[in-house]
């Protein structure tokens, strides 16, 4: 029978994250300020050492729990660095290149991302134009990236256009006639909007941008005479939304804690965050030693997230025997779309991993868009930037709008830096089709002879991952009568 001291040692020495890291052969990152967790040392730990271990443990959990909010805040920060403000729209005036360093973005559309803040402005209007001369595919999410509702033809307005009214937490006022209420649990919200392209030609890109600029954002208090919406073009700037795994992660998290109300589902985090210096109404001011500990904890959280990403996070193959999967676990998507309505479910771990490589959530996934994810070739090996691969896309892809396949940097989950382009799609000018209407897309550091228009360049020094997008997906995607083959070595 183990002694009480030994039971305490086992409890303190077997923190679940470290166990998971060992299982996946990812060594925990040593903190020189904390003694090793062997049983002999643990039994004699001082109260100070026990406290230090608790701080590190809770700091690791804070990264996993806080990932979607920090992801949101990181993009909001990037908007402000461009000179954009809340209740304005940052956009890309042509399909974006590698300088769009958000997580797994779509480079085959015109992106618009308004960040809303109802703290001072009160209810804010997002006005979507009717789908005449263009169309918007998009969703509005709160600061935790929980879907509020979809907009555009696949959303509430069904292509008729509409005035979406984004409401602050606890709003009790009347909803004016003609507005679509969007109650948010947070004061900060944002929308990911895509102005769909008819083709990749310059004329169609210009047409899509012109249609997108019919979107309006303004406070409800100024609805009688709305001010002109300001658009901030990010196309030539590095817009960095990648996740920082150091003490700055906690600075971003503190901003969200200070600005937003505590949600009932998250009240259990109040004490753990206070332990690491984050407390509503108080400044977050870690000293030099505390920052070092937070750096270590953030790196350990990153290692744990990476281990989950590589093994055990993604669902089973979408089609039996395939390497293509859905981009996130089904239980997580169900909870996001229901605003975590099930009191017996709160998949924080899966959420943390997912928002380390992606942003935004649709309310009704599969209506406006559908994604498949892949990080391995047909032989089960990771996709390497130094390798040469081919994806055979069968004819008659079941989409109303377009399909695309995009390569991302495995290390950052953003577009691969310094590449001339990141994807190929049914909209790509000059895309070569086979005699039967199918398309072969190639990936590697060099294009196959005569296949530049069908080639996606990769960085030979790293790994990459793929997302295949169906915009306006149709029934054969879901009944699986149309199948996307695996990526083969070329």
């Amino acid at each position: 029978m183990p002694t009480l001291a030994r039971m305490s040692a086992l409890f303190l020495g077997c923190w679940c994250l470290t166990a998971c890291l060992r299982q996946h052969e990812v060594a925990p990152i040593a903190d020189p300020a904390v003694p090793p967790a062997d049983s002999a040392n643990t039994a004699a730990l001082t109260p100070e050492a026990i406290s230090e271990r608790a701080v590190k443990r809770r700091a690791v959990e804070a990264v996993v729990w806080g990932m979607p909010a920090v992801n949101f805040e990181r993009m909001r920060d990037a908007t402000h660095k461009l000179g954009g403000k809340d209740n304005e729209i940052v956009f890309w005036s042509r399909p974006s290149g590698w300088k769009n360093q958000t997580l797994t973005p779509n480079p085959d559309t015109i992106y618009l991302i308004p960040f809303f803040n109802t703290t001072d402005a009160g209810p804010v209007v997002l006005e979507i134009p009717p789908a005449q001369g263009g169309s918007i595919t998009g969703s509005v999410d709160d600061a935790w990236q929980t879907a509020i509702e979809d907009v555009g033809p696949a959303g509430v307005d069904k292509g008729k256009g509409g005035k979406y009214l984004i409401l602050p937490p606890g709003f009790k006022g009347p909803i004016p006639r003609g507005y679509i209420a969007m109650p948010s649990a947070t004061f900060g919200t944002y929308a990911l909007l895509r102005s769909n392209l008819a083709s990749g030609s310059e004329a169609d890109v210009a047409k899509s941008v012109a249609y997108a600029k019919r979107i309006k954002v303004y406070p409800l208090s100024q609805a009688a005479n709305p001010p002109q919406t300001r658009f901030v073009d990010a196309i030539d700037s590095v817009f960095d939304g990648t996740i920082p795994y150091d003490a700055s992660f906690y600075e971003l998290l503190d901003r969200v804690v200070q600005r937003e109300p505590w949600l009932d589902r998250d009240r259990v985090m109040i004490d753990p965050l206070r332990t690491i210096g984050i407390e509503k109404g108080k400044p977050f001011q870690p000293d030099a030693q505390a920052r070092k500990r937070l750096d270590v904890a953030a790196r350990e959280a990153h290692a744990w997230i990476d281990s989950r990403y590589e093994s055990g996070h993604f669902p089973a193959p979408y089609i039996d025997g395939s390497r293509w999967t859905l981009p996130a676990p089904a239980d997580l998507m169900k909870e996001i779309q229901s605003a975590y309505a099930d009191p017996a479910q709160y998949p924080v771990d899966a959420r943390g991993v997912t928002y380390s490589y992606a942003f935004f959530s649709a309310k009704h996934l599969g209506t406006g868009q559908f994604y498949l994810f892949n990080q391995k070739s047909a032989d089960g090996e990771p996709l390497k930037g130094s390798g040469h691969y081919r994806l055979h896309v069968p004819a008659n892809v079941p989409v109303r709008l377009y399909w695309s396949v995009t390569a991302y940097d495995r290390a950052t989950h953003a577009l691969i830096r310094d590449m001339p382009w990141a994807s190929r799609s049914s909209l790509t000018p000059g895309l070569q089709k086979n005699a039967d209407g199918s398309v072969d897309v190639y990936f590697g550091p060099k294009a196959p002879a005569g296949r530049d228009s069908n080639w996606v360049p990769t960085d030979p020094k790293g790994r990459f991952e793929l997302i295949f997008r169906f915009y306006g997906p149709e029934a054969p995607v879901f009944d699986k009568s149309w199948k996307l083959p695996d990526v083969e070595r070329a």
Side-chain angles (χ1 to χ4, degrees):
M1 181 71 68
T3 66
L4 180 60
R6 185 167 296 277
M7 289 173 67
S8 299
L10 289 171
F11 174 77
L12 291 169
C14 295
W15 170 238
C16 64
L17 293 181
T18 304
C20 182
L21 289 169
R22 287 174 179 166
Q23 177 185 354
H24 294 289
E25 300 181 354
V26 179
I29 297 168
D31 183 346
V34 181
D38 63 75
S39 58
N41 284 338
T42 305
L45 279 176
T46 65
E48 290 78 12
I50 291 173
S51 177
E52 294 232 3
R53 288 191 177 179
V55 170
K56 180 181 177 184
R57 206 165 54 228
R58 289 177 167 190
V60 170
E61 287 291 350
V63 171
V64 178
W65 168 79
M67 185 64 71
V70 168
N71 182 321
F72 168 93
E73 196 67 14
R74 183 79 163 143
M75 294 188 295
R76 183 171 176 262
D77 235 14
T79 296
H80 293 173
K81 287 175 181 176
L82 286 178
K85 300 177 182 177
D86 291 340
N87 305 327
E88 298 179 345
I89 300 178
V90 64
F91 80 112
W92 283 258
S93 56
R94 58 181 182 272
S96 58
W98 70 263
K99 289 184 178 181
N100 179 357
Q101 286 286 295
T102 51
L103 301 180
T104 54
N106 180 356
D108 291 289
T109 190
I110 298 300
Y111 258 171
L112 303 101
I113 308 180
F115 281 85
F116 313 108
N117 189 344
T118 60
T119 304
D120 298 320
V124 174
V125 179
L126 168 66
E127 197 170 320
I128 301 294
Q132 298 167 359
S135 70
I136 297 293
T137 300
S139 306
V140 179
D141 288 10
D142 69 18
W144 286 94
Q145 306 212 44
T146 304
I148 300 174
E149 196 46 88
D150 302 331
V151 305
V156 178
D157 64 84
K158 304 300 182 185
K160 297 177 181 178
K163 296 179 179 180
Y164 292 85
L165 187 60
I166 298 156
L167 303 172
F171 182 79
K172 301 296 184 183
I175 305 301
R177 187 175 180 180
Y179 289 84
I180 301 167
M182 303 277 271
S184 175
T186 59
F187 291 103
T189 58
Y190 82 109
L192 176 61
L193 309 174
R194 311 155 190 87
S195 184
N196 296 309
L197 297 168
S199 79
S201 71
E202 289 187 12
D204 279 336
V205 168
K207 185 178 179 180
S208 180
V209 170
Y211 175 78
K213 286 196 170 183
R214 293 169 57 191
I215 297 169
K216 298 178 182 178
V217 175
Y218 51 88
L220 178 64
S221 61
Q222 300 180 40
N225 186 25
Q228 185 173 353
T229 301
R230 182 167 179 254
F231 290 79
V232 179
D233 192 354
I235 194 63
D236 293 322
S237 301
V238 175
F239 188 94
D240 194 349
T242 56
I243 305 300
Y245 292 99
D246 56 28
S248 67
F249 184 101
Y250 303 93
E251 293 172 343
L252 294 164
L253 182 58
D254 176 68
R255 284 193 218 164
V256 177
V257 169
Q258 300 304 330
R259 186 179 64 242
E260 302 297 350
W262 275 107
L263 305 182
D264 284 345
R265 68 176 186 244
D266 289 324
R267 291 173 66 84
V268 71
M269 290 300 295
I270 293 174
D271 270 2
L273 290 186
R274 185 184 290 124
T275 303
I276 63 175
I278 297 176
E279 185 174 357
K280 186 176 284 292
K282 294 187 178 181
F284 177 58
Q285 296 176 329
D287 59 22
Q289 188 64 26
R291 290 189 71 85
K292 288 181 180 178
R293 292 192 182 98
L294 292 174
D295 283 339
V296 170
R299 291 198 300 270
E300 184 161 315
H302 188 195
W304 181 84
I305 286 168
D306 247 13
S307 73
R308 280 286 296 263
Y309 176 92
E310 290 288 345
S311 176
H313 173 69
F314 292 98
Y318 186 63
I319 296 172
D320 289 345
S322 170
R323 301 291 174 185
W324 293 97
T325 74
L326 296 176
D331 61 339
L332 172 64
M333 298 314 301
K334 176 185 175 184
E335 290 306 311
I336 289 175
Q337 291 166 24
S338 70
Y340 303 96
D342 186 344
Q345 298 290 332
Y346 192 19
V348 170
D349 287 351
R351 186 183 71 175
V353 176
T354 298
Y355 285 100
S356 74
Y357 63 80
F359 73 99
F360 133 86
S361 176
K363 184 71 172 178
H364 306 284
L365 188 64
T367 305
Q369 66 278 311
F370 187 76
Y371 307 147
L372 291 176
F373 179 88
N374 195 356
Q375 56 174 320
K376 294 181 178 180
S377 57
D379 58 12
E381 292 298 312
L383 298 170
K384 298 178 181 179
S386 58
H388 296 271
Y389 304 90
R390 179 180 68 97
L391 172 64
H392 180 73
V393 181
N396 303 314
V397 181
V399 290
R400 295 184 299 278
L401 295 173
Y402 66 94
W403 63 262
S404 70
V405 60
T406 307
Y408 302 96
D409 186 329
R410 165 62 186 84
T412 65
H413 308 296
L415 298 175
I416 303 171
R417 284 179 173 259
D418 300 315
M419 295 294 137
W421 56 82
S423 67
R424 282 299 181 244
S425 81
S426 55
L427 303 176
T428 300
L431 189 73
Q432 297 178 31
K433 293 185 178 180
N434 300 320
D436 64 353
S438 64
V439 174
D440 291 316
V441 181
Y442 299 87
F443 306 89
K446 294 183 179 179
R451 293 287 184 171
D452 288 62
S453 60
N454 289 40
W455 167 62
V456 178
T458 59
D459 182 353
K461 299 186 293 295
R463 286 170 52 188
F464 68 98
E465 58 204 8
L466 299 173
I467 291 181
F468 194 97
R469 289 178 167 87
F470 304 82
Y471 268 78
E474 296 184 316
V477 174
F478 305 110
D479 66 23
K480 303 177 186 179
S481 57
W482 186 94
K483 297 178 175 65
L484 183 66
D486 280 333
V487 177
E488 302 279 353
R489 292 183 182 274

